[in-house]
Amino acid sequence: MKIMVLPGTIWQIPLIKKIKYMGHKVYLVNPTRNDEIISLADEYLQADIFDYDRIIFYCKENGIDVVISDECDIATEVVSRINAAIGANCITGEMAELFSNKFRMREFCAQNDIHSIPAYRLCSTVEEAIDFYTDYGPKIILKPVDSNASHGVFTITKIEDLKKLFEESLRFSRRERTVLVESFIEGPEFTVDGIMTGQGHTTLAISKKEHYKHNENIACALMFEQSNAEYDYDLLRKTNDELLNKTGLPFGLTHVEYKYCDGKYYLIEMAARGGGNLISAQIVPFLSGIDNYKYLINKSLDNAYSDEIILKSMDNRVAELRFFDFPNSDGVVQAIYGEDYLKEESRITSYKLNFGVGDIIARPENDSVRLGYYIICAESKEELEQIEAQIKQR
């Protein structure tokens, strides 16, 4: 079979490799060339992923069976639209919008008696946002309705900052000149990854987030455990499965974020794709025993593919995705030590340094400019903590 993958970024490499391993051909689309990624594919089209006419023509000309993407918010509607045009299995455009437009998510919850959401308002002018702040301040949050990677997301604690940052947030709303303004929910944040089948939604992995001190909207670590002594993960699983079953999503991977406050898990946002930075590619299969990419590929090609999901008992397994943080910003990298341990430790399943010698270290202002990361997959929390200690010593 012929499968198109877009966009052609490093985060699609595990999906590309899985498709090839299963014996299918990969057609890659991306606006810029990356020879490392292109070398994994059978064919490559250099095009913007929003160039619908060109990509649809290319798909029909080359007999593409289906288009797939993962770990990318902006690709959700693209994949839906192209698959619909070529007659492939996909979610509807309306469903894609529900999972990529933050205002639509809020409206869906309000219309379906899901009350654990923050107060919200769709604003097209700063005056409307100021009115909301007057009602729900002194702390609110601005969000572009359909951006990704925390672009244009700001926490506001005074009207002066709201006036200064509203236009910046508005700039990152791609399809509508509007901003979602919400009351700020205090409390810890969690991510929940899962899979939707014909039997319903199954939660596969839960993480508790840690955020950078300089910006509470950007995560610096995600700790994945099967249970938590302080927070009721069974309630979170139940909350998540019930929410996603109400959406009517027919199939696919899911990634949802919540905040915990006053005994409830409040929906922050949800996506019809797996968690980014290799969460769906590496962490979810490790914690659940479910080959989620095999399911996604087979279900996309054949809607009659078996839906049965059987979770394996892996109660002690844990994982961590941690992004690098440095005490000093605007410093120059003089040397890099300890990378050999990141390379050689088998339980560190992936890492990346987004800096080199001579680079200036700056504090990240959104998810896409963090300084790098590493992933640890361990059989116990004690084992993970030992690896963490070794990393810090280096």
Side-chain angles (χ1 to χ4, degrees), residues 220-238:
C220 65
L222 287 78
M223 181 65 194
F224 292 82
E225 299 177 89
Q226 309 290 2
S227 61
N228 189 301
E230 190 174 355
Y231 303 99
D232 188 344
Y233 278 12
D234 286 337
L235 174 61
L236 182 51
R237 291 184 183 94
K238 182 175 182 289

Side-chain angles (χ1 to χ4, degrees), residues 118-123 125-142 162 180-184:
Y120 66 95
R121 188 175 299 165
L122 190 65
C123 299
T125 67
V126 69
E127 289 77 18
E128 292 173 338
I130 291 172
D131 287 343
F132 182 89
Y133 181 89
T134 301
D135 293 336
Y136 295 99
K139 194 174 185 180
I140 65 170
I141 189 164
L142 300 182
L162 178 55
L180 184 64
V181 188
E182 297 181 345
S183 59
F184 191 92

Side-chain angles (χ1 to χ4, degrees), residues 40-326:
L40 301 173
D42 295 281
E43 300 289 342
Y44 168 67
L45 172 65
Q46 187 165 357
D48 191 297
I49 66 169
F50 296 105
D51 191 347
Y52 294 107
D53 291 340
R54 185 179 178 194
I55 295 174
I56 291 169
F57 177 81
Y58 182 87
C59 287
K60 292 179 177 179
E61 186 178 48
N62 288 275
I64 302 298
D65 293 290
V66 73
V67 182
I68 302 179
S69 182
D70 189 38
E71 301 195 11
C72 181
D73 279 320
I74 62 172
T76 302
E77 290 188 274
V78 174
V79 168
S80 172
R81 181 169 171 177
I82 296 172
N83 276 330
I86 64 176
N89 188 29
C90 62
I91 64 175
T92 65
E94 182 180 2
M95 187 66 65
E97 185 177 15
L98 171 61
F99 280 91
S100 56
N101 184 302
K102 296 176 180 62
F103 177 67
R104 300 291 182 270
M105 296 176 202
R106 294 284 178 259
E107 291 288 275
F108 172 84
C109 291
Q111 294 162 8
N112 286 273
D113 297 321
I114 299 170
H115 301 297
S116 297
I117 56 174
Y120 66 95
R121 188 175 299 165
L122 190 65
C123 299
S124 57
T125 67
V126 69
E127 289 77 18
E128 292 173 338
I130 291 172
D131 287 343
F132 182 89
Y133 181 89
T134 301
D135 293 336
Y136 295 99
K139 194 174 185 180
I140 65 170
I141 189 164
L142 300 182
K143 295 180 178 180
V145 292
D146 57 359
S147 70
N148 66 316
S150 299
H151 290 291
V153 177
F154 301 107
T155 299
I156 303 296
T157 57
K158 50 188 177 182
I159 289 180
E160 290 78 9
D161 288 342
L162 178 55
K163 292 177 179 178
K164 181 173 66 175
L165 295 170
F166 183 84
E167 284 295 326
E168 177 71 5
S169 186
L170 192 66
R171 186 169 67 87
F172 284 101
S173 285
R174 293 182 296 109
R175 293 179 59 185
E176 301 177 26
R177 289 282 298 172
T178 54
V179 167
L180 184 64
V181 188
E182 297 181 345
S183 59
F184 191 92
I185 302 295
E186 298 287 356
E189 189 170 351
F190 301 84
T191 69
V192 187
D193 280 73
I195 189 167
M196 178 66 81
T197 74
Q199 298 178 351
H201 188 268
T202 302
T203 292
L204 301 178
I206 297 174
S207 85
K208 183 175 180 290
K209 277 188 173 184
E210 178 184 334
H211 295 85
Y212 286 107
K213 292 180 179 179
H214 75 277
N215 190 326
E216 59 191 324
N217 296 314
I218 306 175
C220 65
L222 287 78
M223 181 65 194
F224 292 82
E225 299 177 89
Q226 309 290 2
S227 61
N228 189 301
E230 190 174 355
Y231 303 99
D232 188 344
Y233 278 12
D234 286 337
L235 174 61
L236 182 51
R237 291 184 183 94
K238 182 175 182 289
T239 300
N240 190 57
D241 290 341
E242 288 179 351
L243 166 67
L244 290 164
N245 285 330
K246 284 186 177 181
T247 67
L249 182 72
F251 74 96
L253 309 184
T254 62
H255 178 79
V256 188
E257 299 183 356
Y258 295 88
K259 275 194 169 184
Y260 183 79
C261 182
D262 297 330
K264 296 181 180 180
Y265 290 100
Y266 284 78
L267 174 68
I268 301 303
E269 58 185 72
M270 60 185 181
R273 46 92 178 164
N277 283 98
L278 304 179
I279 292 173
S280 64
Q282 294 186 1
I283 294 176
V284 171
F286 176 77
L287 293 176
S288 68
I290 300 299
D291 191 339
N292 52 347
Y293 275 5
K294 179 181 178 181
Y295 170 82
L296 177 64
I297 294 162
N298 282 332
K299 191 68 176 179
S300 298
L301 289 169
D302 179 10
N303 196 42
Y305 179 72
S306 172
D307 283 326
E308 187 175 13
I309 296 295
I310 301 175
L311 291 174
K312 298 180 181 179
S313 178
M314 297 181 176
D315 291 344
N316 294 322
R317 282 191 170 182
V318 296
E320 182 184 42
L321 166 61
R322 181 167 289 276
F323 298 91
F324 292 113
D325 192 11
F326 299 96

